[in-house]
Amino acid sequence: DYLTKPFDINQVETLAKKGIEKYKSNILTHQLAQTLDISDIKMNELTNKRTEQLEDQFLYAEKLTVLGQLAPKIAHEINNPLQIIYGRAQQGLMKSAQGDILNAYFENIFSEAEKIDHIAQQLMNYGRPSEHKKEMINVREVLEDSLCLLRDFGEIKRCKIYTFYGDEFPLVNADRFQLQQVFINLIINSSHALEEVEEKKLILKIDGSSDKKSVEITISDTGCGIPEENLDKIFVPFFTTKEGEKGNGLGLSVIKAIVDKYQGYIGVKSKVGEGTSFTVNLPVHSQDEVLRLHC
């Protein structure tokens, strides 16, 4: 590196630290190459290849970010012609006799337009940037909202969904949209795992811990399962076994980061050919703690 005169001791210290770190990195790379009996040239080739892979993954993540920013605009553009369809369907319903075949057609057009409108509104809400504001929320409400959103988008339309919720739903202190992101990603993963199996079951379960200090949200499926050798890797950024554009290896690592942020933890159990179960454990708050958090 270099220094621009006049300089102070802090600049020298900063650059010296950078130089030491770079030196250590070079030494470690060389030692690793010797241990693995790989030449420095080959090691550089592997490093460059991995760098290219990371750049591709970051580019893909950037595309997803742009898509999220465009989602509300797309939904808004859908609403413009949709209002015309609404209006024409209403006119048709008023001018056609009850029980007439045309009346049934217009009624069907109107109800389907309502579905499109609902999906567009969901898309706008999900794509709208959030302030990541913590609040006391009911996990069942967020889980149900996530399920409805994916059902509207047709993501889980072929799945048989089973829900098992306890009687009590303690509050957790978290950001609603981030928690929704956790549930949506896990449900989408399950739906992908169910694509190649005949029995497509999605099981959602909410349980309070025995000491009432945490709540467990379990999302299970009867899908293809995860090989045992991959279970320790699935939360590592960019690790994925999905083909094409179904996954970029970021979903589960992002989920883990969100859960960790709220002092919770996420676990997974899986068996190839039988299915997978993800459990999210989040700390809950008593009424006294809720009052203190809002004061």
Side-chain angles (χ1 to χ4, degrees), residues 38-250:
I38 300 174
S39 67
D40 288 344
I41 295 174
K42 184 64 177 178
M43 178 61 76
N44 288 332
E45 288 177 358
L46 292 172
T47 303
N48 291 335
K49 185 178 179 180
R50 182 57 179 158
T51 301
E52 289 175 5
Q53 290 175 339
L54 289 173
E55 288 174 352
D56 290 341
Q57 299 286 8
F58 279 119
L59 182 61
Y60 185 82
E62 181 65 23
K63 287 180 180 179
L64 292 179
T65 301
V66 173
L67 182 60
Q69 293 169 349
L70 289 176
K73 296 178 182 178
I74 295 169
H76 180 73
E77 292 302 317
I78 289 172
N79 272 328
N80 291 331
L82 184 61
Q83 296 310 312
I84 298 173
I85 296 171
Y86 259 139
R88 293 290 186 262
Q90 285 177 325
Q91 288 178 347
L93 284 170
M94 288 187 292
K95 292 182 178 181
S96 58
Q98 187 75 26
D100 184 68
I101 186 66
L102 286 177
N103 186 272
Y105 287 161
F106 285 124
E107 192 170 310
N108 183 250
I109 291 170
F110 190 84
S111 63
E112 293 302 312
E114 281 188 320
K115 290 180 183 178
I116 296 172
D117 181 52
H118 183 66
I119 292 171
Q121 291 300 322
Q122 293 273 42
L123 191 61
M124 289 178 71
N125 291 334
Y126 188 68
R128 186 177 292 125
S130 62
E131 297 178 357
H132 299 305
K133 180 183 177 182
K134 277 188 177 184
E135 58 181 326
M136 304 310 301
I137 55 178
N138 184 317
V139 292
R140 177 176 177 174
E141 291 177 2
V142 180
L143 185 59
E144 287 289 336
D145 287 346
S146 305
L147 200 61
C148 287
L149 178 65
L150 293 174
R151 188 182 280 118
D152 289 339
F153 287 165
E155 184 69 39
I156 51 175
K157 60 184 177 183
R158 294 184 181 87
C159 303
K160 290 182 180 179
I161 302 169
Y162 301 87
T163 57
F164 301 93
Y165 301 145
D167 297 327
E168 295 182 10
F169 299 98
L171 302 177
V172 300
N173 188 35
D175 177 85
R176 180 176 296 272
F177 291 100
Q178 285 190 334
L179 204 54
Q180 187 181 58
Q181 184 181 358
V182 169
F183 297 151
I184 284 175
N185 272 283
L186 290 176
I187 294 171
I188 287 176
N189 281 348
S190 289
S191 72
H192 289 169
L194 290 166
E195 287 180 355
E196 303 300 324
V197 300
E198 291 185 9
E199 191 178 33
K200 303 179 189 297
K201 289 185 179 179
L202 177 65
I203 304 103
L204 308 179
K205 187 178 179 182
I206 301 176
D207 263 336
S209 62
S210 57
D211 60 5
K212 296 185 178 182
K213 291 185 177 181
S214 64
V215 60
E216 284 188 351
I217 306 96
T218 304
I219 298 175
S220 307
D221 61 70
T222 54
C224 57
I226 303 169
E228 188 175 352
E229 63 269 21
N230 290 339
L231 286 176
D232 292 334
K233 306 173 188 174
I234 59 173
F235 295 111
V236 176
F238 304 117
F239 176 80
T240 182
T241 57
K242 296 179 181 179
E243 296 179 356
E245 296 185 356
K246 284 188 177 180
N248 65 345
L250 286 171

